[in-house]
Each structure stands twice: as C-alpha cells, then as structure tokens.
Amino acid sequence: MADTGQPVPIPDQLVEWARAAETVVVLTGAGMSAESGIATFRDAETGLWSRFDPQQLATEDAFRADPDLVFGWYAWRYDQWATTRPNAGHEALARWGDRADVRVVTQNIDDLHERAGSTWVRHLHGSLFTWRCFDCGRPYVGPIPQPDHEAGRVPPPRCGSCGGPIRPGVVWFGEMLPTDALDDGIQACQDADLVLVVGTSGIVYPAAGLPEIALGLGTPVVEVNPDSTPLTYRADAALRGTAATVLPALVDALG
Ligand code: OAD
C-alpha cells in the first residue's frame, strides 16, 4: 500500500471545487470503513476474500447448499459490527452535510455513515442490519443467533409466515441491486457538482460504473485511496491517503 501515514496535502483546485459544490456525491467502498476495523474484501493479507471463498458465502446457491454456514458467517459480522464505531472519515462527511447537500452512495453493508450522522445514504449492496425470509422475502425482526467463532455454523431462524430460512439483507453475487438505491445513485451522479470516490477498488459493477456518469458530464471526480485503481488515471485528482486522514483534512480546508 502506497500510504505513508503522513498528512495528505489537499490541492487548491479541490478546495475550490469543494467550496463551490452545492451537491456533493461520495461513492464509498470497503476502504471507507477499514479504519473502523472492518476488513476490506481484496486486501492481499487481511481482505475477507483472501481468507474466505465468496462462492461459498455470498451467493444464493451457497445459502441453499449450507444455510447454517452462510447464516453463521453474516451473524458473526452483524454482532461484531454493531459495536464498531464510525471513523474520522465518516464523521467528516457528516460534518460536510451541514454546509452542502452531501449524498453518500455506498457499497458497504455497515451502517457507519448513518451512525456518524450522514442523512442521505443509499446502500447499493444492501445492509447487514436488515434480515428477510429467503423464501417469501418478508422482513424479519428478531434475535440473530450467534455462532461461537468467525466461521461457525448456526441454523437460521425461521420465517414467522412461511417457515423459510432467514437470510441477511445484503446483495449476493448474481443478485440484482436494489432498484431504488441504484436509481438514486445514478441520479445523484447526474446532479452532482463534485464526486468523491473513496476506498473502493472499482471493479464490481454496476457500482464501479457510477463515476463514469460524472466523468461523462464533465463533473470533477476525485479519488481518495492509498492505492491506485482503474479509476485513478481518469479521475481529475487522486489523493493517495486513507479516508480517515484525507476527508477530515478536506472538510477542514473548506473553512
Ligand atoms: P475492495 O476490498 O475491493 O477494495 C477496497 C479498497 O479500499 C482498495 O482499493 C483499497 O486500496 C482501499 N483502501 C484500503 N484501506 C483504505 C483506507 N483506510 N482508506 C481509503 N481506502 C482504503 O472493496 P470494495 O471496492 O468495496 O460486494 O468491494 C466492492 C464489492 O466487492 C463489495 O461491496 C462486496 C465485494 O465482493 C458484495 O459482496 C456484493
């Protein structure tokens, strides 16, 4: 990772764009929550997909084949993440919301943007904090039984209506994104005066296509990421730093 841990200077041009922007869209991925202690997916050493096989955990077929394993894996995360705290990056975006229309479109299934105080947040990949019946789709509100370790199996609770197994409200590989969230995300990118892309490797579509909308309209697109991504050389600026370092510095620079 190229990040040195040093403060990242905020370019004057970005401060100018940010001060002038009435509508700011922030597209976030797993790197946004990394400094809250939530592992990213593709980090070579700590990324979830370097330690677990997404085909065994994040598809409908996986749930059908081994519901106890899949339920247990998400139930563990649900319990851990409930006590995780927003980091300085989440808090900076919420502060920015006091002076501009800041719209957060996230691939993250945590609720750290909301807990930091951001009011306009759309979850493209669903939420770990909603549950529903795998068979009939009815929402489930009730206890989430816990496994005794990270990869432990636990039988899903049953739906009160049809008896089907309960699944997390996240989007698995091969599933459609929630239409409302995607439509709002597209519209937000069309309305934006400035788009920030924070902490995503930018390889999972359709989320990875959203910056293209802004680029096509000539709206400034700025990446915040310690590493380079496919977007880096197309963005108007790329800030090589972490979310919890760069975003507070940027919001402080607004004056
Ligand atoms: P990835 O794990 O693919 O990428 C995380 C990105 O965050 C990388 O580009 C890192 O360089 C960057 N990063 C790491 N630490 C950071 C920090 N402190 N501040 C800023 N950036 C940092 O995660 P996503 O791009 O979110 O989907 O992954 C996209 C989707 O793939 C996820 O929503 C998930 C996954 O499979 C589903 O499960 C459907």
Side-chain angles (χ1 to χ4, degrees), residues 21-253:
E22 287 175 16
T23 302
V24 179
V25 172
V26 190
L27 307 172
T28 67
M32 181 79 223
S33 299
E35 288 152 291
S36 293
I38 295 180
T40 65
F41 292 95
R42 295 180 179 81
D43 183 280
E45 278 150 37
T46 58
L48 289 172
W49 295 156
S50 70
R51 298 189 294 128
F52 299 99
D53 178 359
Q55 294 306 320
Q56 286 182 356
L57 292 167
T59 69
E60 289 181 6
D61 282 349
F63 188 77
R64 278 191 204 96
D66 195 343
D68 298 9
L69 176 72
V70 175
F71 184 86
W73 196 74
Y74 284 98
W76 177 267
R77 270 166 188 74
Y78 170 80
D79 199 46
Q80 303 285 307
W81 293 5
T83 53
T84 303
R85 295 174 56 81
N87 63 51
H90 297 104
E91 283 160 4
L93 293 180
R95 258 194 298 140
W96 200 348
D98 294 338
R99 57 181 291 158
D101 175 9
V102 175
R103 305 183 191 175
V104 178
V105 182
T106 187
Q107 295 168 78
N108 297 343
I109 58 173
D110 64 55
D111 61 352
L112 295 178
H113 285 297
E114 289 92 336
R115 281 204 270 141
S118 286
T119 50
W120 196 107
V121 183
R122 299 293 182 270
H123 287 269
L124 296 177
H125 292 166
S127 164
L128 185 61
F129 296 91
T130 62
W131 300 80
R132 66 174 188 269
C133 176
F134 183 73
D135 290 341
C136 75
R138 283 202 177 78
Y140 168 83
V141 182
I144 301 298
Q146 289 298 306
D148 54 13
H149 63 96
E150 187 178 21
R153 287 183 162 75
V154 58
R158 293 278 152 182
C159 173
S161 301
C162 76
I166 298 305
R167 60 160 286 176
V170 305
V171 176
W172 283 329
F173 290 103
E175 292 186 317
M176 300 288 289
L177 271 58
T179 314
D180 290 356
L182 183 58
D183 287 351
D184 284 355
I186 292 169
Q187 185 66 51
C189 288
Q190 289 168 345
D191 294 345
D193 300 311
L194 171 66
V195 172
L196 299 189
V197 184
V198 184
T200 175
S201 55
I203 55 176
V204 175
Y205 281 80
L210 291 177
E212 300 297 329
I213 296 171
L215 287 169
L217 290 168
T219 307
V221 173
V222 177
E223 182 177 62
V224 177
N225 196 313
D227 277 340
S228 59
T229 75
L231 179 68
T232 302
Y233 300 102
R234 311 198 48 223
D236 297 279
L239 275 66
R240 290 275 145 269
T242 71
T245 312
V246 173
L247 295 174
L250 171 56
V251 174
D252 287 349

